[in-house]
Amino acid sequence: AQKITQTQPGMFVQEKEAVTLDCTYDTSDPSYGLFWYKQPSSGEMIFLIYQGSYDQQNATEGRYSLNFQKARKSANLVISASQLGDSAMYFCAMREGGKKLVFGTGTRLLVSP
Amino acid sequence: NAGVTQTPKFRVLKTGQSMTLLCAQDMNHEYMYWYRQDPGMGLRLIHYSVGEGTTAKGEVPDGYNVSRLKKQNFLLGLESAAPSQTSVYFCASSYIGVNQETQYFGPGTRLLVL
């Protein structure tokens, strides 16, 4: 069974607009963590944001926020005021129970001028 | 503070050859991981380690071995390379604290098996 599902293979957004990248997860473990990573064309993996399953508030890091809806098992990434440099692949990931991290298949975001 | 480094950055192997990928981190992290990334499949965990001297299997461990003799190093070995192991390999280390966790990735190693 797919643990992390990213249903949007590609997304387009205009510069300065906000965009939401979807992520749903599947786990029966009450303790888990959710992550978002950015992978630009250069290939490196850049950590963006983390949300713990017990966190009451949605995580925010600058222009990034994680819309955590526990009952729906979703952890969408919201990027506000998109910039051209935001064009990249974005991966959602989950750590459950032990120390393994499971990744989704990614969403390619293209920001146009 | 170099973060996570990987050696080599690129390698070409013939089927049946062996090689070792080296991952090093200078952040004193307990947890280290090896992933492979293939087109359209995201990152898949090969092996991981929760501390010096310990290793565990991930999603796709077959054909790989690992060792964590020193806390700062995590080695990934291919004993007999196969074309199916052509991929980009990422190493990562992580800090797990109270209500916070961060994984730091290395720059990746591109491996081509002919």
Side-chain angles (χ1 to χ4, degrees):
Chain A
Q2 194 75 9
K3 292 277 190 178
I4 294 284
T5 302
Q6 294 181 254
T7 57
Q8 306 156 314
M11 288 285 286
F12 292 90
V13 67
Q14 275 200 313
E15 205 176 1
K16 300 179 185 175
E17 291 186 348
V19 63
T20 298
L21 305 184
D22 295 342
C23 173
T24 57
Y25 59 92
D26 181 29
T27 183
S28 57
D29 196 318
S31 175
Y32 54 91
L34 298 157
F35 303 76
W36 277 93
Y37 286 88
K38 173 184 179 182
Q39 187 177 41
S41 57
S42 52
E44 72 266 34
M45 295 291 287
I46 303 168
F47 167 77
L48 295 178
I49 199 165
Y50 167 81
Q51 177 87 42
S53 58
Y54 295 118
D55 294 344
Q56 298 291 331
Q57 292 185 323
N58 287 344
T60 59
E61 290 285 348
R63 294 186 298 111
Y64 305 108
S65 61
L66 198 151
N67 185 359
F68 182 44
Q69 298 188 41
K70 199 168 182 177
R72 298 177 62 181
K73 293 188 175 179
S74 74
N76 299 340
L77 177 70
V78 180
I79 305 175
S80 62
S82 297
Q83 301 172 356
L84 295 178
D86 293 336
S87 293
M89 280 291 286
Y90 288 81
F91 291 97
C92 179
M94 175 178 67
R95 177 191 59 75
E96 59 176 346
K99 306 298 180 259
K100 298 181 189 182
L101 202 66
V102 179
F103 282 78
T105 51
T107 295
R108 184 171 296 282
L109 177 66
L110 184 60
V111 181
S112 59
Chain B
N1 191 336
V4 180
T5 58
Q6 292 182 231
T7 310
K9 288 185 169 52
F10 179 71
R11 184 75 184 267
V12 179
L13 288 179
K14 293 181 179 178
T15 298
Q17 285 185 317
S18 63
M19 78 163 294
T20 300
L21 281 68
L22 171 64
C23 176
Q25 52 97 0
D26 60 2
M27 297 172 281
N28 203 34
H29 288 167
E30 291 290 339
Y31 308 105
M32 296 187 74
Y33 311 79
W34 275 107
Y35 297 91
R36 59 178 288 174
Q37 185 178 27
D38 302 296
M41 300 191 75
L43 275 76
R44 291 182 293 167
L45 183 65
I46 304 171
H47 287 279
Y48 64 104
S49 168
V50 300
E52 182 179 322
T54 71
T55 63
K57 293 180 180 180
E59 294 175 76
V60 288
D62 295 341
Y64 306 94
N65 56 74
V66 288
S67 63
R68 184 99 181 266
L69 299 179
K70 293 183 179 180
K71 187 177 184 179
Q72 63 268 35
N73 294 337
F74 195 29
L75 279 63
L76 177 71
L78 286 72
E79 290 186 347
S80 179
S84 61
Q85 294 178 304
T86 292
S87 188
V88 179
Y89 291 85
F90 285 97
C91 175
S93 71
S94 71
Y95 163 76
I96 300 177
V98 177
N99 298 326
Q100 180 57 41
E101 179 175 345
T102 305
Q103 276 214 352
Y104 297 88
F105 279 80
T109 295
R110 290 185 175 276
L111 176 64
L112 175 62
V113 183
L114 301 175

